[in-house]
Amino acid sequence: MSSSSAFNDEKGGSSSVGEPEYGHDPASGGIFSSDYKRHDDLKEMLDSNKDSLKLEAMKRIVAMIARGKNASDLFPAVVKNVACKNIEVKKLVYVYLVRYAEEQQDLALLSISTFQRGLKDPNQLIRASALRVLSSIRVTIIVPIMMLAIKEAASDMSPYVRKTAAHAIPKLYSLDPEQKDQLIEVIEKLLADKTTLVAGSVVMAFEEVCPERIDLIHKNYRKLCNLLIDVEEWGQVVIINMLTRYARTQFLNPNMNESLLEEGSGGDKTFYGSDDDSDEEEDEKDKKEEAHAMAKRKPYVMDPDHRLLLRNTKPLLQSRNAAVVMAVAQLYFHLAPKAEVGVIAKALVRLLRSHSEVQYVVLQNVATMTIKRRGMFEPYLKSFYIRSTDPTQIKVLKLEVLTNLANETNISTILREFQTYIKSMDKDFVAATIQAIGRCATNIGEVRDTCLNGLVQLLSNRDELVVAESVVVIKKLLQMQPEKHSDIIKHMAKLTDNIQVPMARASILWLIGEYCEHVPKIAPDVLRKMAKSFTNEEDIVKLQIINLAAKLYLTNSKQTKLLTQYVLNLAKYDQNYDIRDRARFIRQLIVPTEKSGALSKYAKKLFLALKPAPVLESPFKDRDHFQLGSLSHLLNAKAGGYQELPDWPEAAPDPSVRNVEVKESVPEWTKCSSREKRKEKKVEKPFYSDSEGESGPTESADSESDSASGSESGSGSEESGTGSESEESEEGSESEEEEEEDEDEKDKKKKKKKELKKPVQESESEQSSEEERKLQRKIKQRKSDTESESDEEDSESESSQSESEDSESEAEVKKKKKAAESKPPSKPVKKESKKEKKEMSLLDLDDFEPTPSPQVTPVNTFLSNSLVTDLEGLSLSDAVLSPATIAPSSALKSYELLHRITGEGLSVEYCFSRQPFSPEVNMVAVQMQFTNNATSETKNLHMEDVKLQSGMRVKEFPEIELLPAGETATAVMGIDFCDSTQAANFQLCTHTRKFFVSIQPPVGELMRPVFLTENEFKKEQGQLMGMNEITEKLTLDVNCRNEHAIVQRVTTAANLSRVPCGSDIECRFAGRTVSSSSLVLVTVATKEEGAAQLTVNCEKMVIGTMLVKDILLALTQ
């Protein structure tokens, strides 16, 4: 054993003395690793006449190669057996030759005639192996032979051989690029191949040899799209990436109209927002011109081939291969309409459960996506929370994603999460978390103060790295508005006594020096302390002490002249030459002498120049110019062989280039196509309509705008209302799509019948009625979604029904709704659904009464006798389903939605009624008052094109069919603002005009009162301390010094209820946010001479901050 190991060391082997002997297992490489005799045995076995010995020898040699051992010295013995009659031996010989043909080119060339014979072997595996070996011999002499072999193999009967020919093309191209033209002919021939085995390989060859020749793809585009699902995974990735680039050159940008619409709507908003009546006529002209331009602009219609690609790649989001999912995700991100990109979010979140390597790549791409399409990943926020087992690089990437996803609604959750991360043992991760808090503070102004206070608390942390990072981030935040935060600068000045981390001390001294004018009394004292300890400080701190001394000498020379000279004298004799040089340089600049040059005049400009505040941006901000999922995107640098993603064309290229001539020998195919044409004529829409696109749960608002802005989506019912349940279902199967089309046709037939029954006076223009129907269908779908969640019986029955039954029931509901609208509300409706019964309750009855009247009491007693029977007998018209109008109280503030001049005679005001919105408890009830000031009547008042931020929802008011001149009508709508003060934008439509309007709530209206006892209040308040508590001191207004006035003003500013309190000097209020039911507690403690203290405790920090401002304003003015 010792002799063998000694020899092995000489050979460069790795077996040690204590290693056990290897058995004679043919797969074990250990049997050859010791000495040459065993190789001699193998050579003898290969030279023997027995095929069994040759096969045994080849198995052992291939096992050696598999284990990474060098078997090149056996090449002459192996190559002799290339002409062996035994197929098994031949296969293994070819496997060996593919590995070593490149190294031993001369010996391989000797047996080239054998390879050529092998190309005509009846066995497809031998033919393919021979071609593979031939293409592995990297010698320019045999290029013509290789070219001939590839051309023959490209016409081979076996798809496996054709696949091998496709693999050989890039090898030959790299050996001799001059063969490009001939190779392109072969690629063109192979691209026409209809087998899935060849598709991926030939597209790879196309990408390597001639990626610019997209004309070769035109005729094969539809075939590749349809074969995609059956190609092997490696091929799928290659084809998807190629088709992404192809689609960017051949189709129009599906989101181009959105940017134009947004610009247009922005202009309209400013126009409606202005109250000046001076330039009315000019504004009217501008308005008409804009409307005319909007009408002229063609609505975007998606090319059927573009839709085909999106539809056929969508099922691959469920692939087991992470690379395929990533490829489809980047295709959707780069090519799909904004409303449909949401479907990829769920698939990418699924990949986060995979290995850390996969997570790293996926998170890199998600981080880039979240910068442009934040709403897409917001529902999956918790999937990006960090686990303690994650590696540091994964933690940092997840932090990046969380920071990108932060907005006013979720920032409190994210900051609470960050608070936990700061306690981690992984110091690099803690530093990254502190930087993330800094970025959140810069992006979201409402939490800047909260973040700053949190970071200041971290300055007392024991860990040096945490303190240093906190100081650096605080320094950046303070640079944005230093005048407001002189208190924090003072606090940091006090910390110089305790903090010993050099970087932190240096940062504090820089801050004090830079903003010494804001702390004129403290800065000289800090310099005095620093001068004492100058000799014991680190070099980085000494440099900042010198800088501080120089800045103070220039601004406050009386107090600091002697101190500065003292510090400069100490620095003059310091051991570090940097500090000595800095001292000499600064002395010459700030203390002018006869010898000092012209620079000393500009000393103030040099030292006290305004430094620009650092911009805290995501490192992924500009990465999206690289194609997602590519190596270049991962490295953020252009990698070799990377092809740029082309820009969208301004005008669509001719789509007919993708048409393939149909052969006459297949009559069934032509029949099918003609039937499709007839169907297209009948339905008047493209075959692959936008209806198949599904929006994710967050992008629904965008999809609504898509469908409403005139994109020819045949079945809008599926476009926007689909929630996350639809994502989970299987998509992409063509049978489902055909069913959906049939259902649409049924719906249309029913609508036509219904229209015939209606009187002629009620009929409208086709387009507006169609849009109405789409809108109603969306509302119905949303409503049914929410009801099915709350009602178990209904959800069970709905899940058992088929799709067709579902669509029929929708149509019936619409009929009932129309009938209910046309009849007066007093008429009873005979039939009534279970849902309507379940929604009725004792509490709701009060809301349905238009005005409070003495009749309410008998109704309540009547109900208490037998509730069920009476509810069954009760007739509910559509007016009951939407909340009844509530008489506006004098205390409620009204806001103008539409001015009578802007609205051409129609004026609209709205107020927050503070009544529960019965159909949806999570919605804020908004009461609207319509007044027709014009001389003519207004018809069909309704809402359209609702544009909301992610998560927000709207329950529209019932259409007002007729508003006579001089009359007033009221209606109630519900809006789920998702606990944010972001506006709900929509179009208010009459029978002739559309007006862009928006409703923005004050923060106080996002709450509902809640009753708490004094003990409950104190208990809840104790749980909402720290970052969830905001305290402000104030001086009460002269008219607001008594308890009654304080209560009145607070409850006017916010919809809160009074909490009983034993103390005379305290007023307490409680409420919950309407959307998320987060607790809001307010305390006003009065002191002597009108002084008071306001405390707000709220789970949502942003709401708490905004509420403090509103209540302060109410109490002080």
Side-chain angles (χ1 to χ4, degrees), residues 94-102 105 127-147 149-150 160-161 163-180 183 186-187 190 201-202 204-210 234:
Y94 277 127
V95 169
Y96 177 89
L97 291 175
V98 168
R99 169 69 182 79
Y100 288 109
E102 204 167 328
Q105 291 173 356
R127 294 202 299 276
S129 299
L131 180 58
R132 201 176 289 125
V133 174
L134 199 59
S135 59
S136 299
I137 302 171
R138 316 281 293 157
V139 181
T140 46
I141 307 165
I142 63 160
V143 165
I145 300 170
M146 282 169 71
M147 178 57 78
I150 288 170
Y160 180 67
V161 178
K163 179 188 177 77
T164 311
H167 287 168
I169 290 171
K171 291 184 184 177
L172 178 53
Y173 177 67
S174 64
L175 186 64
D176 185 9
E178 290 176 9
Q179 303 292 327
K180 183 173 180 176
L183 289 173
V186 181
I187 288 171
L190 286 171
S201 305
V202 70
M204 187 68 210
F206 168 82
E207 290 279 81
E208 291 280 331
V209 178
C210 54
W234 175 81

Side-chain angles (χ1 to χ4, degrees), residues 713-734:
S713 56
S715 53
S717 63
E718 292 154 31
E719 173 148 342
S720 72
T722 52
S724 56
E725 299 109 37
S726 57
E727 281 178 33
E728 287 166 14
S729 62
E730 287 284 320
E731 298 115 358
S733 60
E734 292 191 10

Side-chain angles (χ1 to χ4, degrees), residues 1093-1114:
Q1093 182 171 310
L1094 170 66
T1095 309
V1096 174
N1097 302 75
C1098 182
E1099 289 172 34
K1100 301 219 165 193
M1101 284 179 258
V1102 178
I1103 284 191
T1105 310
M1106 293 163 81
L1107 187 61
V1108 165
K1109 289 178 186 172
D1110 284 10
I1111 295 176
L1112 272 176
L1113 210 64

Side-chain angles (χ1 to χ4, degrees), residues 413-441:
T413 318
I414 289 174
L415 284 179
R416 206 174 301 130
E417 193 72 14
F418 285 174
Q419 275 180 307
T420 317
Y421 299 161
I422 287 165
K423 297 166 188 167
S424 168
M425 298 299 289
D426 184 345
K427 297 309 168 197
D428 293 336
F429 168 52
V430 172
T433 306
I434 293 167
Q435 287 171 3
I437 292 172
R439 263 182 58 205
C440 287

Side-chain angles (χ1 to χ4, degrees), residues 6 140 156 232 239 393 438 467 543 593 680 833 862 876 936 1086:
T140 46
D156 198 280
E232 82 278 7
I239 294 171
Q393 68 270 22
V467 176
L543 288 171
T593 58
E680 277 178 26
S833 65
F862 185 58
L876 289 178
S936 58
T1086 53

Side-chain angles (χ1 to χ4, degrees), residues 13 78 101 124 241 251 265 284 292 354 399 501 590-591 650 688 921 960 1000 1014 1024 1057 1092 1113:
V78 173
Q124 59 174 358
N241 284 322
F251 307 129
S265 66
E284 280 296 320
H292 186 62
S354 191
L399 264 182
V501 184
I590 63 172
V591 187
E650 289 183 12
Y688 306 113
V921 288
I960 298 171
Q1000 188 161 14
E1014 189 172 2
L1024 293 172
S1057 71
L1113 210 64

